[in-house]
Amino acid sequence: MSLPSKVRIVEVGPRDGLQNEKKPIATATKLELIRRLGTAGLKTIEATAFVSPKWVPQMADHAELFAAIDKLPDVTYPVLTPNMKGFEAALALGAREVAIFGAASESFSQKNINCSIAESLDRFRAIVDAAKAADVKVRGYVSCVLGCPYEGDVAPLAVADVAQALLEMGCYEISLGDTIGVGTPEKTRAMLKAVARRVPLKKLAGHYHDTYGMAAANIYASLQMGIGIFDSSVAGLGGCPYAAGASGNVATEDVVWLLRGLGIDTGIDLDALVDTGTWISKLLKRESASRAAHAILAKRAMQAAQAG
Ligand code: HMG
Ligand code: MG
């Protein structure tokens, strides 16, 4: 199959990227990150999670943050909503898109959202029904599609079952999460093949964490299968609080570099994105996980030295 001519990137840095940070991050810093990402050309920026502050303290400012975003007219700012309480709070603040998040593994579902997969699907159905009535779009996530931190291997059919259930209840898109980044291209292909028998390829997104450095390879394998939507996180920020040791998502800078090399335009200003990744990494006192950002910064420094 030929590669998709267009790819949509869903920037998840402000949510997936920051949710696991131990030290509190000021709401103003998060807002500035969201603003810079919008300026760099990201059209979908997952802003926060309307989850319990007891479970994920870093997202406790969700309401204050979401209300204060200076929303650009052509940018969507989805938020995570695990239950009706989260959905109603997000709706009251004018959210136009929410995401529900299930898992292909029972243990992860219990650890992450304190219920079984079946119970989670019942909860989600209520959210989707309420969202439909309010004309709010719903994205569905499936976690642990290539492995679970508690159960190990996850069967592709288990992923397909949950993805199909999310589609049938009314999610417009299903994001397939390699939560702990254990996937390799052949495993990714096998999983996608199983899911694509139940969910149209154009409704699937790849959400790959980069724990073993395989995320870009898995994106390439997914592109070859016709997937045209990928989630990523500026500077590769992040990790999941309920998946110990998992690193952040693939860095958005690296995805843009990969796609650019394939002749696929994303409309994203890579230089502005590198600046944003450098800024937030400094602020969090960490190295950016983006290889492309490091290379671009080194090239800039060399050019400046030559010029000066
Ligand atoms: P629970 O303890 O069963 O919920 O947690 P509960 O209904 O019994 O409520 C417990 C307390 O939380 C109550 O407060 C509620 O009011 C409050 P109390 O009465 O004790 O003071 N509460 C809430 N507060 C604010 N907003 C809410 C909310 N709901 C309840 N929406 C629950 C169940 C789902 C709430 C909890 O497990 C939770 O919040 N989990 C979220 C975990 C999470 O955010 N994980 C990370 C995101 S998933 C991820 O990263 C994977 C992904 O990136 C894809 C991939 O990588 O694979 C998406
Ligand atoms: Mg994730």
Side-chain angles (χ1 to χ4, degrees):
M1 180 184 268
S2 59
L3 301 181
S5 55
K6 268 192 182 163
V7 163
R8 188 162 76 84
I9 292 186
V10 175
E11 170 63 45
V12 295
R15 193 279 304 172
D16 207 349
L18 299 184
Q19 68 185 8
N20 206 27
E21 287 293 324
K22 295 288 168 282
K23 282 193 192 146
I25 301 168
T27 307
T29 302
K30 297 176 184 175
L31 287 167
E32 177 62 8
L33 176 63
I34 292 168
R35 190 194 68 75
R36 287 180 187 233
L37 290 165
T39 305
L42 270 311
K43 296 292 177 219
T44 310
I45 305 172
E46 197 174 74
T48 185
F50 282 71
V51 295
S52 168
K54 288 186 181 141
W55 285 65
V56 186
Q58 191 59 256
M59 297 284 113
D61 62 350
H62 48 245
E64 181 194 349
L65 174 121
F66 189 76
I69 297 171
D70 190 5
K71 299 179 183 71
L72 298 172
D74 57 342
V75 176
T76 310
Y77 302 90
V79 295
L80 260 54
T81 54
N83 51 19
M84 281 304 284
K85 184 178 170 81
F87 175 75
E88 279 162 6
L91 184 67
L93 292 170
R96 303 307 311 145
E97 179 172 333
V98 299
I100 50 182
F101 48 106
S105 124
E106 282 294 347
S107 309
F108 189 80
S109 181
Q110 289 289 354
K111 298 269 187 199
N112 196 40
I113 50 173
N114 206 22
C115 63
S116 69
I117 295 172
E119 285 165 339
S120 76
L121 295 176
D122 286 342
R123 257 183 217 174
F124 296 156
R125 244 171 240 115
I127 296 177
V128 175
D129 288 347
K132 276 181 198 157
D135 202 20
V136 167
K137 286 172 82 177
V138 185
R139 187 176 208 238
Y141 274 107
V142 187
S143 287
C144 298
V145 300
L146 293 165
C148 167
Y150 311 105
E151 294 180 14
D153 283 345
V154 170
L157 280 179
V159 182
D161 284 345
V162 179
Q164 181 179 4
L166 291 172
L167 179 79
E168 283 174 354
M169 69 177 76
C171 291
Y172 80 97
E173 182 172 296
I174 314 294
S175 174
L176 300 168
D178 182 11
T179 316
I180 52 171
V182 289
T184 51
E186 282 312 311
K187 271 180 90 176
T188 303
R189 254 191 267 275
M191 181 275 295
L192 289 175
K193 236 172 132 179
V195 178
R197 284 195 198 103
R198 316 266 196 89
V199 179
L201 273 171
K202 65 176 189 327
K203 289 184 181 266
L204 293 175
H207 176 110
Y208 304 136
H209 286 255
D210 205 25
T211 319
Y212 289 81
M214 289 292 110
N218 295 339
I219 289 178
Y220 190 55
S222 307
L223 283 164
Q224 287 178 318
M225 289 194 61
I227 305 288
I229 310 158
F230 296 98
D231 302 354
S232 60
S233 166
V234 66
L237 294 173
C240 175
Y242 297 99
S247 75
N249 295 85
V250 63
T252 310
E253 299 91 316
D254 295 2
V255 180
V256 173
W257 178 261
L258 170 69
L259 295 172
R260 191 192 261 192
L262 293 168
I264 300 172
D265 183 32
T266 56
I268 295 167
D269 177 342
L270 184 54
D271 279 311
L273 191 60
V274 168
D275 291 342
T276 301
T278 307
W279 168 78
I280 190 69
S281 300
K282 266 197 191 132
L283 226 139
L284 298 175
K285 297 190 176 54
R286 64 177 54 195
E287 282 275 300
S288 166
S290 166
R291 300 285 295 269
H294 284 294
I296 289 166
L297 290 173
K299 192 173 170 191
R300 278 189 202 167
M302 199 177 73
Q303 284 169 343
Q306 280 167 355

